[in-house]
Amino acid sequence: MDLKSGVTISLDVMGGDHGPSVVLPGANIALQRHPGLRFVLYGQEDEVRPVLDTLPQLKAASSFHHCEMSIRMDEKPSQALRQGRYKSSMWRAIEAVKTGESDVAVSAGNTGALMAMAKFCLRTMANIERPAIAAIWPTIRGESVVLDVGATIGADAQQLIDFSMMGAAMARALHGIERPTVGLLNIGVEEVKGQDDVREAGRLLKETELPGLIYHGFVEGDDLGKGTVDVVVTEGYTGNIALKTAEGTAKQIAGYLRAAMTRTWMARAGYFLAKGAFDRLRDKMDPRKVNGGVFLGLNGIVIKSHGGTDAEGMAAAIDLAYAMAVNGLREKIEQDLRIFYLRVSEEAAAGMPESK
Amino acid sequence: MDLKSGVTISLDVMGGDHGPSVVLPGANIALQRHPGLRFVLYGQEDEVRPVLDTLPQLKAASSFHHCEMSIRMDEKPSQALRQGRYKSSMWRAIEAVKTGESDVAVSAGNTGALMAMAKFCLRTMANIERPAIAAIWPTIRGESVVLDVGATIGADAQQLIDFSMMGAAMARALHGIERPTVGLLNIGVEEVKGQDDVREAGRLLKETELPGLIYHGFVEGDDLGKGTVDVVVTEGYTGNIALKTAEGTAKQIAGYLRAAMTRTWMARAGYFLAKGAFDRLRDKMDPRKVNGGVFLGLNGIVIKSHGGTDAEGMAAAIDLAYAMAVNGLREKIEQDLRIFYLRVSEEAAAGMPESK
C-alpha cells in the first residue's frame, strides 16, 4: 500500500454544533494539504448534498452514504447507543474503520456517545481493559501527548501502564521520537496517602524497561506547559480537568491582554505597531490548531473534534487523523503491547522481576 | 477585643527558600498596611537578629523566640514531625495559635511538614475528618476559593460537603458575600462511572439547603478561570494538579508574549508605547498577589506561603492571614458546621430528607 496516497478517512458529517456546514469545508481544507486523501462521508442527504455540491474537489475524492439519523450533541451515551447503533452517521463512520473501508474515523459529535459507540463497535484491543482519550498539549518545547483526558474515571496501575505505552506509541507516530519520555502526573507532597496506583505504576515502569519509551518519573501540573516529558499519563477525571483548566486559563489571559491593549490610546498605538507580534501570539495560542482527541486502545482509531470548532479546526482534526494513519499508530500500539506482555510473561516465568 | 487593632500573627521566620531575609521584610511591608498588627516571631537567633535589627518598626511590633532548629524544605513530613515537634520554628508558630498567643500562623516552609505538624498540634475540628488547603484563584470576575489543592488525595461525599462549607465560610470571610455560590468540580461527559462521591455530594448539597451557601451544581475545569462560582470544591489530587496546571499555563503564555514582543523592532516599539498596559497585565498576573494556601478544618488557621516567594509575596500571605483573623474565619466555619450537623440530625430524626 502506498501510504502517502492511500489514506481514507470516514467522517460523521452530522457531528458537531454546525454539522455539514463546518465538517465538509474542513475536509476540503485538509484535502488541499493532502491531495491523496479520500473520504467516506456519512450523513443526511438533504443536509449534506447542498454543501457537498459547492465543493467539487471534495466531492470527487469522496463517497457518500445517506444515514437516516444523527446523534444529538446532548444525547446520553446509552441512549445514543440504543437508538443510533447501526444506522446513525456516527456509528457508520466508526463501522467503516472496523470493516476496513476507512483507516480512521473523525467525528465532532458528543464525546460520550462517540466513545460508547466506538467501544461497542471496535472493542478494546487484546490485553487492554479500558480505552483512553489522548490530547495534544502545546508546550514551550513543542507538543506533548496527554492521556487520559476523559474516557474513564480512575485507573489502576496496569491501566496507567497501558496508557503509557499507548501514549508513547502515539508520540512516536506523531513526532517520530524513537523512545518518547513518559511521566506520571502526580502531586509534589511526599507521603500523601492515596495515589498507590500511581506509585505502583511508576515502580513497574521503572523495573520493566520498555523498548518503546523512557520512563521519566512523576511530573506535576506545571510540567504540562513546560513540556518536561513527551507523554503525560493520568486517569481521566484529573486529565480532563487539567485540560479544561489550561484552556480556561489561556482564554482568561487572552481576555486580560485584550482589555489591557484597548484601554488607552497609547496602548492601542502600541498594539497597532506590534500587531505582527500579536498575530503570531494569537496563532500560537489558537486552540483550533491542536483540535482532536485520539481514542486509544480500541481496534481502530477514532478522533474526536471539538464540537464547536470551525472549518480550520475540523481540518486540523483531519490532519491529525491522516498523520495517525500514515504513521501506523494502531500497529505501533499493538506491537508495543505485544513486547510488553511478552516481557511480563517471561519475567513471570523467571520469577520476580529485579528491582533496579 | 478590638479586632481591627488586635490581630497577632505567629511567623515561622526560618520557613521558605530564603528564611529571615524574605520573611521579615515581608512582615514589615504588611505592618505598614495594617499598623495595628503584632507578630510573634520564631527562628534561630543568629539568623533573625541581624535582619530584625534593620527593621525597627517591625521589631517594636514583635516578640521574638529563639528556636534551636528549623525544618528543611526537603524534609519528609513524618521526619519533620518526629524531629521538629515542640522545638522547631514551624511547630512553635503553629503552637502559638493553639495557646491563643496568636490568631493565625504563617509559614513558607514545606507543605507536607506544615500540614503534618498543624494536624498533630491543632487537631481537626469536631465533625471534620480531614483538613483541606484552600487557594485563592484569580478569575475574570475577581477571585474564587478553590479547595482542596493538596492536603489529601481522594474525598468521599461527606468530605466534599465539609470542604464546601469550609470554602463558603472562607469566601464569606474574604469577600463578605453572605451566601457564596459553590460548585463541585466534575467532568462534562455524562454517564461516566466513577465519580459517585461527587454525585452523592451534589445530591446532598441540593437537598440540605444550607444557610451559608448556594449550591450551584457541577462545574468544569474551564469554569475556574471564568469565576462561575465563588467556591470550587474537589479532592486534593485533582485540585493540586489543576492549580499547578493553571500556574504553568500562565507562565507559558507570559513566555510566548515576551518572545513575541522582543522579536522585531516594530514589536519592541509597540511594547514601549503600550508599556503601561503591559505593566497592568503583569500586575494582574503577578502570582505573588494571591500567595497563600489556607489550611481549613483544624482548630486554628495556618497559612502556607509559596516557599520561593519574595518579601511582596510574603506580605500578601500575611495580608491574607490578617483578613482571615479580622473576619473570624474559624468562628464562621464552626458556626456553619454546627448548623449543618443540627439540620442533618433533625432530618435524621424526622426520617429521610425530602428530594427536591
Side-chain angles (χ1 to χ4, degrees):
Chain A
M1 183 169 73
D2 176 2
L3 281 173
K4 297 279 171 211
S5 62
V7 172
T8 302
I9 291 171
S10 47
L11 289 180
D12 167 17
V13 183
M14 308 309 288
D17 298 344
H18 314 291
S21 68
V22 156
V23 177
L24 295 176
N28 197 52
I29 295 169
L31 181 62
Q32 311 309 311
R33 296 198 275 245
H34 316 289
L37 203 47
R38 289 201 54 79
F39 293 99
V40 202
L41 310 175
Y42 297 92
Q44 284 172 254
E45 184 145 26
D46 57 337
E47 292 193 42
V48 174
R49 281 289 176 205
V51 186
L52 193 57
D53 285 342
T54 67
L55 302 164
Q57 271 188 291
L58 179 66
K59 197 173 173 179
S62 308
S63 60
F64 171 67
H65 302 273
H66 170 67
C67 305
E68 62 193 67
M69 77 162 291
S70 46
I71 304 297
R72 287 196 322 276
M73 292 305 278
D74 60 351
E75 211 150 349
K76 288 195 172 181
S78 54
Q79 188 186 342
L81 190 58
R82 207 162 46 237
Q83 296 177 354
R85 199 163 43 193
Y86 311 125
K87 55 188 179 190
S88 65
S89 57
M90 184 185 273
W91 173 275
R92 293 196 58 195
I94 298 166
E95 199 181 29
V97 174
K98 189 183 182 180
T99 60
E101 280 165 90
S102 82
D103 298 296
V104 182
V106 178
S107 172
N110 99 56
T111 311
L114 188 63
M115 181 50 92
M117 288 204 185
K119 271 161 79 173
F120 192 91
C121 180
L122 300 171
R123 305 282 163 187
T124 52
M125 285 178 165
N127 285 315
I128 294 287
E129 223 174 296
R130 281 182 176 188
I133 304 176
I136 297 170
W137 195 290
T139 75
I140 52 169
R141 287 202 317 142
E143 285 175 348
S144 298
V145 171
V146 179
L147 72 167
D148 171 23
V149 296
T152 35
I153 289 176
D156 63 24
Q158 186 53 55
Q159 284 157 358
L160 291 170
I161 292 170
D162 293 343
F163 293 175
S164 300
M165 288 188 284
M166 298 194 297
M170 177 166 154
R172 205 174 322 128
L174 205 58
H175 304 124
I177 314 161
E178 206 41 56
R179 291 184 72 193
T181 53
V182 174
L184 294 174
L185 199 56
N186 204 344
I187 71 175
V189 185
E190 290 270 343
E191 299 183 25
V192 170
K193 300 282 191 297
Q195 81 293 53
D196 299 344
D197 289 317
V198 179
R199 283 171 193 278
E200 173 69 2
R203 197 184 60 74
L204 286 167
L205 281 170
K206 212 172 177 180
E207 278 176 2
T208 322
E209 270 186 46
L210 291 166
L213 61 88
I214 295 166
Y215 175 61
H216 168 93
F218 296 142
V219 293
E220 296 192 53
D222 52 346
D223 288 304
L224 286 159
K226 285 184 200 162
T228 307
V229 289
D230 300 315
V231 182
V232 177
V233 172
T234 187
E235 56 81 33
Y237 179 80
T238 306
N240 182 277
I241 285 167
L243 181 67
K244 292 208 170 146
T245 300
E247 287 172 354
T249 305
K251 268 192 206 158
Q252 183 183 359
I253 297 173
Y256 290 161
L257 187 59
R258 227 173 0 251
M261 287 302 130
T262 50
R263 219 178 139 268
T264 62
W265 73 263
M266 285 269 278
R268 283 195 292 270
Y271 175 80
F272 182 77
L273 270 180
K275 199 172 172 309
F278 281 109
D279 288 346
R280 283 175 62 90
L281 181 69
R282 188 176 300 118
D283 199 53
K284 203 161 178 88
M285 287 174 62
D286 188 347
R288 296 175 305 177
K289 292 210 150 180
V290 289
N291 182 26
V294 182
F295 290 8
L296 298 174
L298 302 171
N299 294 305
I301 306 291
V302 174
I303 286 176
K304 161 72 174 93
S305 156
H306 263 292
T309 197
D310 62 8
E312 275 299 340
M314 180 52 64
I318 294 170
D319 286 348
L320 179 61
Y322 177 80
M324 297 298 94
V326 164
N327 297 308
L329 172 60
R330 189 178 148 190
E331 295 72 23
K332 282 192 165 67
I333 294 177
E334 283 170 346
Q335 188 187 342
D336 284 12
L337 290 176
R338 257 198 310 277
I339 293 172
F340 174 77
Y341 283 100
L342 192 66
R343 193 158 296 198
V344 166
S345 60
E346 277 169 1
E347 275 169 355
M352 289 298 288
E354 279 174 43
S355 264
K356 294 216 174 65
Chain B
M1 184 171 70
D2 176 3
L3 280 173
K4 296 280 169 209
S5 62
V7 172
T8 302
I9 291 171
S10 47
L11 288 180
D12 167 16
V13 183
M14 308 308 289
D17 299 344
H18 314 291
S21 69
V22 155
V23 177
L24 294 176
N28 198 52
I29 295 170
L31 182 62
Q32 312 309 310
R33 295 198 275 245
H34 315 287
L37 204 47
R38 290 200 54 80
F39 293 99
V40 201
L41 309 175
Y42 296 92
Q44 281 171 258
E45 184 145 23
D46 56 337
E47 291 192 44
V48 174
R49 282 288 177 205
V51 186
L52 192 56
D53 285 342
T54 67
L55 303 163
Q57 270 188 294
L58 178 66
K59 197 173 173 179
S62 308
S63 60
F64 170 66
H65 302 273
H66 170 67
C67 305
E68 62 191 68
M69 77 162 293
S70 45
I71 304 299
R72 287 195 323 275
M73 290 308 276
D74 59 351
E75 211 151 347
K76 288 194 174 183
S78 55
Q79 190 185 343
L81 191 57
R82 208 161 45 237
Q83 296 177 355
R85 198 162 44 190
Y86 312 126
K87 55 191 179 190
S88 64
S89 56
M90 185 185 272
W91 173 274
R92 293 197 58 197
I94 297 167
E95 200 182 30
V97 174
K98 189 183 183 182
T99 60
E101 279 166 89
S102 81
D103 298 295
V104 182
V106 178
S107 173
N110 97 55
T111 311
L114 189 63
M115 181 50 93
M117 287 205 187
K119 269 159 81 173
F120 192 91
C121 180
L122 299 172
R123 305 283 164 185
T124 51
M125 285 178 166
N127 285 315
I128 296 288
E129 225 175 295
R130 282 180 173 189
I133 303 176
I136 296 171
W137 195 291
T139 75
I140 51 168
R141 286 202 317 141
E143 286 175 347
S144 298
V145 170
V146 179
L147 73 168
D148 171 23
V149 297
T152 36
I153 290 176
D156 63 23
Q158 184 54 54
Q159 284 157 358
L160 292 171
I161 293 170
D162 293 344
F163 293 175
S164 301
M165 287 189 285
M166 297 194 298
M170 179 168 153
R172 206 173 321 129
L174 206 58
H175 303 125
I177 313 162
E178 205 42 54
R179 291 185 71 192
T181 52
V182 173
L184 294 173
L185 200 55
N186 205 346
I187 71 177
V189 186
E190 290 272 343
E191 299 184 24
V192 171
K193 300 281 191 298
Q195 81 293 50
D196 298 344
D197 289 318
V198 179
R199 283 171 192 277
E200 173 68 2
R203 198 185 58 76
L204 285 167
L205 281 171
K206 212 170 177 182
E207 279 176 2
T208 322
E209 270 187 46
L210 290 166
L213 62 87
I214 296 166
Y215 175 61
H216 168 92
F218 296 144
V219 293
E220 295 193 53
D222 53 345
D223 288 305
L224 285 160
K226 284 184 201 162
T228 306
V229 288
D230 301 314
V231 181
V232 177
V233 171
T234 186
E235 57 81 32
Y237 179 80
T238 306
N240 183 277
I241 285 166
L243 181 67
K244 292 207 170 145
T245 300
E247 287 172 355
T249 305
K251 267 190 206 159
Q252 184 183 358
I253 296 172
Y256 291 160
L257 187 59
R258 228 173 359 252
M261 287 301 130
T262 51
R263 220 180 137 266
T264 62
W265 72 263
M266 284 271 277
R268 283 196 291 272
Y271 175 81
F272 183 78
L273 269 182
K275 201 173 170 309
F278 280 109
D279 288 347
R280 283 175 61 91
L281 181 68
R282 188 177 300 118
D283 198 54
K284 203 160 179 92
M285 288 175 61
D286 187 346
R288 296 175 306 176
K289 292 210 147 178
V290 289
N291 182 27
V294 182
F295 290 8
L296 298 175
L298 303 171
N299 294 304
I301 305 292
V302 174
I303 286 176
K304 162 73 173 92
S305 156
H306 263 292
T309 197
D310 62 7
E312 274 300 339
M314 180 52 66
I318 295 171
D319 287 347
L320 179 59
Y322 177 80
M324 296 297 96
V326 163
N327 297 307
L329 172 60
R330 189 178 150 192
E331 295 72 24
K332 282 192 166 65
I333 294 177
E334 283 170 346
Q335 188 188 340
D336 284 11
L337 292 175
R338 255 199 310 276
I339 292 171
F340 174 77
Y341 283 100
L342 191 67
R343 192 159 298 197
V344 165
S345 59
E346 277 168 2
E347 276 169 355
M352 291 295 289
E354 278 174 43
S355 266
K356 296 218 172 61

